[in-house]
Amino acid sequence: MSRVISKVLSPAMQLWLRSQVEQVETLELSIQGSDRQILKGHVSGVMLNSNRAIYQGLHLGEIQLKGENIRINIGQVLRGKPLQLLEAIRVSGAVAITNQNLQASISSALLGEGFKGLLETLLEHQGVTEVSQLLDSYEINWQGAYLDNSYFILQGNLTHNGETTPLKIKAKLSIIPPQTLQLSEVEIQGIPELNSHEIKPFSVDLGSDVSINSFNLDADKLICQGELLIRP
């Protein structure tokens, strides 16, 4: 390992990575590049292995990531300033999420927004009008989320007009590479507006920042491999 990497860049990048998460149990970092390249602010590649990281309340299991052609503010880093990305980078790798991770994440605001977005999409897909106003009249307290073979199951309590009823959403998940999440065999219990509806399969666009190559869902673990665009 070069002197610039070992003495300057590696500690600065470790600090930057840890600042992006609330907690991480293990964090292993491998940096590629010559001193000459790095002193010009260019890092050839970075490989990251971590375990049990928490990002915005979302608990993640094993993470393996690789980024290439990274531009950083090396001049400021050498003067003791925090590391910053100067350009967006596309990171490839794999992330594993277990049932234990999901349950620990149930109170995450990030996950809560994702669940709300899923409900909005379901309601809109079934032709329900004024979805936002309808969801604003609901109070949803999510209680649990878990994987069961190819299925994702979400449970909670829904309060509407002073009455509380159990809420359950079950769907079979699959990926149509690179950016489409497919939901089929969808079952919903607890939302009156959907009681008489047969839920047909539908797709969710994950956005251009995400590119998924494989999506393996077994009894209690999801392993996702692909690419993610990280912006400065």
Side-chain angles (χ1 to χ4, degrees):
M1 182 184 296
S2 76
R3 181 177 178 82
V4 173
I5 291 176
S6 62
K7 298 296 185 182
V8 179
L9 186 55
S10 184
M13 192 162 287
Q14 286 261 0
L15 184 62
W16 180 80
L17 287 167
R18 290 183 181 276
S19 73
Q20 304 302 302
V21 297
E22 297 161 41
Q23 182 179 323
V24 61
E25 184 174 283
T26 60
L27 180 60
E28 299 176 359
L29 195 62
S30 175
I31 301 174
Q32 300 170 340
S34 67
D35 283 354
R36 184 176 180 180
Q37 289 175 314
I38 292 169
L39 290 172
K40 292 181 178 180
H42 177 259
V43 181
S44 298
V46 173
M47 297 185 67
L48 167 70
N49 291 298
S50 72
N51 192 34
R52 297 185 181 179
I54 303 175
Y55 174 73
Q56 294 188 20
L58 185 63
H59 291 240
L60 305 172
E62 298 175 8
I63 304 172
Q64 296 178 334
L65 299 176
K66 180 179 181 181
E68 298 179 331
N69 299 319
I70 303 167
R71 301 288 298 180
I72 61 170
N73 60 329
I74 189 63
Q76 292 178 321
V77 171
L78 291 171
R79 294 194 295 272
K81 301 294 184 180
L83 182 142
Q84 294 179 346
L85 296 179
L86 300 181
E87 298 175 356
I89 59 171
R90 189 162 287 277
V91 175
S92 62
V95 177
I97 299 176
T98 66
N99 276 340
Q100 184 178 5
N101 298 144
L102 275 174
Q103 190 57 42
S105 305
I106 198 67
S107 61
S108 162
L110 189 65
L111 206 58
E113 285 299 311
F115 293 158
K116 182 179 178 181
L118 174 61
L119 268 180
E120 288 179 348
T121 304
L122 279 168
L123 290 165
E124 290 170 354
H125 181 70
Q126 295 306 120
V128 177
T129 59
E130 298 181 347
V131 171
S132 295
Q133 294 90 326
L134 178 64
L135 288 179
D136 287 342
S137 70
Y138 289 156
E139 180 182 339
I140 300 175
N141 182 18
W142 299 113
Q143 299 290 322
Y146 59 96
L147 308 167
D148 184 6
N149 292 315
S150 298
Y151 293 88
F152 173 71
I153 300 171
L154 181 60
Q155 294 177 312
N157 293 320
L158 184 148
T159 302
H160 182 58
N161 293 332
E163 296 185 5
T164 299
T165 57
L167 173 62
K168 181 179 179 180
I169 301 174
K170 179 179 179 180
K172 188 173 185 179
L173 301 182
S174 59
I175 285 288
I176 303 174
Q179 292 145 351
T180 303
L181 177 65
Q182 179 83 25
L183 289 86
S184 59
E185 300 179 30
V186 181
E187 299 176 13
I188 300 180
Q189 301 172 10
I191 299 181
E193 288 75 14
L194 295 180
N195 282 345
S196 60
H197 287 254
E198 177 185 352
I199 311 297
K200 297 180 180 180
F202 69 97
S203 301
V204 177
D205 188 346
L206 299 176
S208 59
D209 286 359
V210 176
S211 179
I212 297 177
N213 301 323
S214 67
F215 183 88
N216 298 315
L217 188 60
D218 61 20
D220 63 354
K221 180 186 288 187
L222 165 66
I223 301 176
C224 184
Q225 293 182 316
E227 296 182 349
L228 174 68
L229 187 69
I230 298 179
R231 302 180 186 275

